[in-house]
Amino acid sequence: MGEAMDALASGPRTHEQLLNLAGEEFDLRWDTPAPVRDRTTWLAVTGMVELFDRHVHLTDAGRGVLADLALGRPESESTGTAVQLAPAARAVAGLIEQLDEAGHRERADGANLYVPGTSANGGTLDALQVLTEAAIPSISDADFVRFVQDTFPKARTTATARTAKDTLKALGLIQRTSSETWTATPAARAWVESSEPLDLARTVHAAIAFFGELLGELDRAVPLTTGALAERSTHYLPNRGKPLSRSAVSTRLNLLEACRLVTRLSQTTYRTTALGRALKESLPCVPAHDAVSHTPADSHVEHHSGSPSGSTQQSNSLGADIATELESAARDSANPERLEKAAVVALGYLGMPGKHVGGNGAADGHVRFGVGADSQILAVEAKTSATGRVADQSLFGLAEHRAEIGAHAHLLIGPGFERRMLKEADDDPAIAVIYTDLLAEVVRRQERTPLTLTQLAPLVDPALHAAQRGETMHEYWAAQELRGRLEYALVDILNVEAEDPDEKGGWLDVTAIRRDLRTLGYRVGEGTVVEALEFLASDRIGVLQRSGQRYRCTASVHTAGQRIRALGHQWVAAAELHRRMRPEGEPARP
């Protein structure tokens, strides 16, 4: 708001110009001027601006208010100055030292967190400090609840006050001294004495899962939304069975922001600060459990063209290996050819076979999207950056490189790009910008949530901006995961019907099946339900039987899962047999 007024102080601007400013100067990746118009409308109602001649004009009243405003700017991207971390207090350092594999497993899920007060202007830290100090030297359970109720107007109910108290325990700030009393933990006392936010962050990281790990998740070229982060939490809490709520993630983000470890870009997006990156590097964190292999342990398949290094590999998780190499190569600025090769291998794994070329004055490589007459050649241009963002580099010559190999478009692949370079590439109708972290995620997910080549088309579509690709991929993944849950629910519903002693034959028509699905929370169209039923009734699966418009189950849920998994195993075995039977000298098909 104030920053928009400051921009208008030098002269009127259109909403489109303000939108560009929001993206270029504040990392607010809005796709339409709507958020800008919301702000200018409010400013116009309050008399701060006037709207005419398709421009926004700052009024004298606005200038007067602007003079009293403290304006903000996103943290500079400069990495030239090393960030010095305040050393951890002794009690806090002890907690961090205990974070080995067992220590990570003992951390709480932190699924039900509530910090009273406001998250703005350090309010989160103030609230936690006030509550921690209340437990020094000790406080009874009943007195603690009353203290929360008396101190924070929004926590007047007993249940809310107890949740706040339980949050302090989960964050590692208080501990029981008896069945009825609490006291501040040694680490919490050290934090209160020093008022060092990093000590609080370290203490919380040692207490709950998916806290310090968030700093890594937010250190991406395209910021993840709160909802996407909630989904990502399952990769750090594999035994929980479901993702954290957005509220639980938001509480973590508010605390990280209060500690100056992340900065808020919009209502739902944040970015790791330089201080946050430095702290993340100093903390023992749990790696994301992104890849789960479904290849049988006794199946050893030689992959002659899938290894980033070109060597023969035996791996139960080839996709994970390719993705890891891609992420590592993206920051290996001393060896740019490594990313060129890794990118071609990753795209080949997704069904886009190609070739690495390399060298100056030519495309780094090329891949083929589709088969037959409808296929397209896509040129590959890979850029590395040790800092995670490729500095401004000229895109001059890419059109010539495409012409030399008959390519329809260019894939510009890298860990991230500076704003001007990104805008130039995004605005070019023949260039598709792909972030390496997204490409790696697509490769990893292809093992457990596979997408068809048609569904992968947005990944390489130059008509989409870089920021739009991730959202599109997540929509396809969500649809695929829903399909899996739907198939499971259908077999389960028909199993229940078959086991009902009052029903004969266990037959249900589509209308009855959809009614049962709605009671389970599934609201899907009839066509989607019929398609899933036909798949389960096919000869290859054979767990349902069809009679006219009615279906019944012929196998248990467990057996259905076995048969679906078996199809993947059969393909692995068939691929190996086909490779062995191929005549010598015949090239391998992708």
Side-chain angles (χ1 to χ4, degrees):
M1 295 289 285
E3 290 75 18
M5 293 169 62
D6 183 50
L8 296 172
S10 59
R13 301 200 186 200
T14 65
H15 283 98
E16 287 71 20
Q17 289 172 332
L18 289 174
L19 175 64
N20 290 335
L21 176 71
E24 294 175 1
E25 300 296 331
F26 296 91
D27 265 346
L28 297 172
R29 299 177 183 273
W30 295 329
D31 296 326
T32 71
V36 176
R37 292 184 186 278
D38 290 341
R39 287 159 171 78
T40 58
T41 299
W42 186 90
L43 290 171
V45 170
T46 57
M48 301 294 105
V49 303
E50 289 184 348
L51 308 175
F52 59 89
D53 293 339
R54 297 184 179 180
H55 283 70
V56 185
H57 304 253
L58 189 66
T59 64
D60 290 339
R63 293 181 188 278
V65 172
L66 178 62
D68 296 327
L69 294 180
L71 303 178
R73 282 287 188 278
E75 180 183 296
S76 171
E77 292 293 328
S78 173
T79 57
T81 304
V83 175
Q84 296 295 324
L85 294 177
R90 180 176 300 178
V92 177
L95 293 177
I96 299 301
E97 291 171 0
Q98 295 172 17
L99 277 183
D100 53 13
E101 185 175 346
H104 279 129
R105 286 198 303 268
E106 292 174 359
R107 292 191 299 176
D109 283 357
N112 189 26
L113 302 177
Y114 168 67
V115 179
T118 175
S119 61
N121 301 321
T124 298
L125 300 188
D126 291 342
L128 291 177
Q129 184 166 342
V130 167
L131 292 173
T132 302
E133 289 174 342
I136 300 175
S138 65
I139 189 171
S140 70
D141 193 83
D143 286 344
F144 206 150
V145 171
R146 281 194 293 270
F147 178 80
V148 175
Q149 292 174 310
D150 293 342
T151 307
F152 301 97
K154 292 185 178 181
R156 291 293 173 82
T157 67
T158 301
T160 303
R162 288 191 179 280
T163 300
K165 179 202 66 181
D166 292 341
T167 296
L168 255 69
K169 178 180 182 296
L171 298 181
L173 300 179
I174 60 173
Q175 61 188 13
R176 284 196 176 275
T177 56
S178 72
S179 61
E180 297 182 351
T181 58
W182 298 86
T183 189
T185 62
R189 290 172 185 253
W191 166 59
V192 169
E193 291 174 2
S194 68
S195 296
E196 173 53 61
L198 293 183
D199 276 343
L200 173 63
R202 293 170 175 130
T203 300
V204 173
H205 175 69
I208 64 171
F210 200 46
F211 185 72
E213 291 79 5
L214 270 171
L215 297 173
E217 287 292 325
L218 291 169
D219 195 17
R220 296 169 177 248
V222 179
L224 295 179
T225 63
T226 307
L229 289 170
E231 291 182 9
R232 288 288 297 165
S233 68
T234 58
H235 300 299
Y236 296 90
L237 296 162
N239 297 323
R240 174 175 161 77
K242 61 180 181 180
L244 293 171
S245 67
R246 294 192 182 195
S247 174
V249 173
S250 293
T251 301
R252 286 166 164 82
L253 292 171
N254 289 336
L255 184 50
L256 289 169
E257 183 184 18
C259 293
R260 296 179 290 110
L261 301 175
V262 303
T263 183
R264 186 191 297 262
L265 302 179
S266 69
Q267 190 65 25
T268 60
T269 57
Y270 297 75
R271 185 183 65 202
T272 305
T273 63
L275 181 64
R277 294 188 195 99
L279 181 65
K280 166 68 167 56
E281 292 301 316
S282 72
L283 295 175
C285 293
V286 172
H289 294 77
D290 281 338
V292 179
S293 173
H294 298 294
T295 305
D298 58 350
S299 175
H300 298 287
V301 181
E302 293 182 356
H303 302 281
H304 289 269
S305 61
S307 169
S309 63
S311 61
T312 298
Q313 289 201 359
Q314 293 182 347
S315 174
N316 286 342
S317 187
L318 177 61
D321 294 341
I322 293 173
T324 300
E325 168 63 11
L326 185 69
E327 291 170 326
S328 177
R331 293 178 179 254
D332 186 2
S333 298
N335 186 11
E337 189 175 272
R338 182 182 170 198
L339 178 60
E340 297 169 7
K341 294 179 178 178
V344 172
V345 168
L347 293 166
Y349 179 80
L350 296 175
M352 300 173 233
K355 178 182 179 182
H356 170 249
V357 179
N360 295 325
D364 294 335
H366 53 80
V367 298
R368 178 164 54 88
F369 182 87
V371 296
D374 294 331
S375 64
Q376 294 184 341
I377 300 299
L378 304 175
V380 175
E381 186 75 15
K383 301 290 186 182
T384 62
S385 172
T387 63
R389 287 194 181 226
V390 178
D392 285 348
Q393 295 184 25
S394 174
L395 301 178
F396 179 77
L398 293 190
E400 182 180 342
H401 296 169
R402 290 194 298 274
E404 290 174 353
I405 59 176
H408 292 75
H410 233 110
L411 306 182
L412 181 60
I413 301 173
F417 300 91
E418 293 294 343
R419 294 188 187 95
R420 290 178 180 81
M421 185 179 180
L422 176 61
K423 186 176 187 305
E424 180 184 352
D426 268 343
D427 289 347
D428 192 318
I431 296 179
V433 179
I434 306 176
Y435 295 121
T436 48
D437 57 359
L438 175 61
L439 182 56
E441 185 176 9
V442 174
V443 168
R444 286 193 176 97
R445 286 200 181 221
Q446 198 68 358
E447 292 189 339
R448 53 193 173 87
T449 315
L451 300 180
T452 65
L453 200 61
T454 300
Q455 292 169 325
L456 287 169
L459 180 68
V460 297
D461 184 358
L464 292 179
H465 283 190
Q468 298 172 299
R469 298 188 199 285
E471 294 297 329
T472 305
M473 292 294 100
H474 278 90
E475 289 173 5
Y476 278 125
W477 287 324
Q480 288 288 77
E481 289 166 356
L482 174 61
R483 177 61 182 266
R485 295 195 300 272
L486 174 63
E487 290 166 356
Y488 183 97
L490 290 172
V491 177
D492 188 44
I493 287 170
L494 290 168
N495 258 281
V496 172
E497 186 70 13
E499 297 292 338
D500 190 336
D502 295 330
E503 298 293 337
K504 294 183 178 180
W507 294 95
L508 284 178
D509 61 22
V510 175
T511 300
I513 291 172
R514 291 187 67 199
R515 182 179 60 245
D516 288 347
L517 284 171
R518 284 194 293 271
T519 64
L520 296 175
Y522 292 90
R523 296 190 176 275
V524 291
E526 181 177 338
T528 302
V529 174
V530 171
E531 184 182 352
L533 288 168
E534 289 298 301
F535 167 71
L536 295 167
S538 67
D539 291 340
R540 291 283 279 160
I541 306 298
V543 297
L544 299 186
Q545 183 179 1
R546 176 184 173 184
S547 176
Q549 299 300 313
R550 299 188 305 162
Y551 298 83
R552 72 173 179 179
C553 203
T554 58
S556 66
V557 173
H558 173 70
T559 299
Q562 281 184 322
R563 293 185 182 176
I564 291 173
R565 285 192 296 271
L567 293 182
H569 299 168
Q570 289 174 12
W571 270 89
V572 170
E576 173 65 2
L577 179 62
H578 186 72
R579 185 187 67 79
R580 291 176 179 176
M581 295 176 63
R582 182 181 299 114
E584 186 175 352
E586 180 183 333
R589 291 192 180 96

